[in-house]
Amino acid sequence: GHWILMRYNPMLVAEGKNPLSIDSKAPTLPLADYIYQEVRYKALQKSSPEVAAMLLAEEEKELKLKWRYYQHLAAMDYSA
């Protein structure tokens, strides 16, 4: 799997800074290009192409939501 690289330093809150910083860049490789390099996903695509397409679409939406969520957390203002 792919993990978002981030750092969390709770001591930065006392300085009015956001304790979360994301080190990863936004994903650029299409999910299909990434997952269909694995046999388990290729097998699903060959055996049930409709199900594979539906699951791929759902996962793409979920990945975008998660990425936006972490970006939001890393951009929060802690100065107040």
Side-chain angles (χ1 to χ4, degrees):
H2 177 78
W3 296 91
I4 297 174
L5 300 177
M6 61 183 110
R7 287 178 274 164
Y8 183 80
N9 182 353
M11 293 186 291
L12 292 176
V13 174
E15 300 173 20
K17 298 178 182 175
N18 190 320
L20 180 69
S21 64
I22 299 175
D23 295 333
S24 294
K25 295 179 182 175
T28 56
L29 182 67
L31 184 60
D33 293 350
Y34 180 75
I35 65 169
Y36 290 130
Q37 293 179 22
E38 295 188 26
V39 175
R40 59 186 170 158
Y41 296 115
K42 282 182 188 177
L44 176 63
Q45 188 182 34
K46 287 181 182 180
S47 66
S48 300
E50 301 85 17
V51 173
M54 180 207 50
L55 292 173
L56 177 65
E58 286 182 24
E59 188 57 28
E60 285 174 336
K61 285 187 227 173
E62 187 66 25
L63 287 173
K64 287 178 185 177
L65 284 173
K66 284 181 183 179
W67 180 253
R68 285 198 331 234
Y69 174 71
Y70 281 112
Q71 283 182 317
H72 173 74
L73 290 177
M76 288 177 66
D77 184 15
Y78 278 77
S79 61

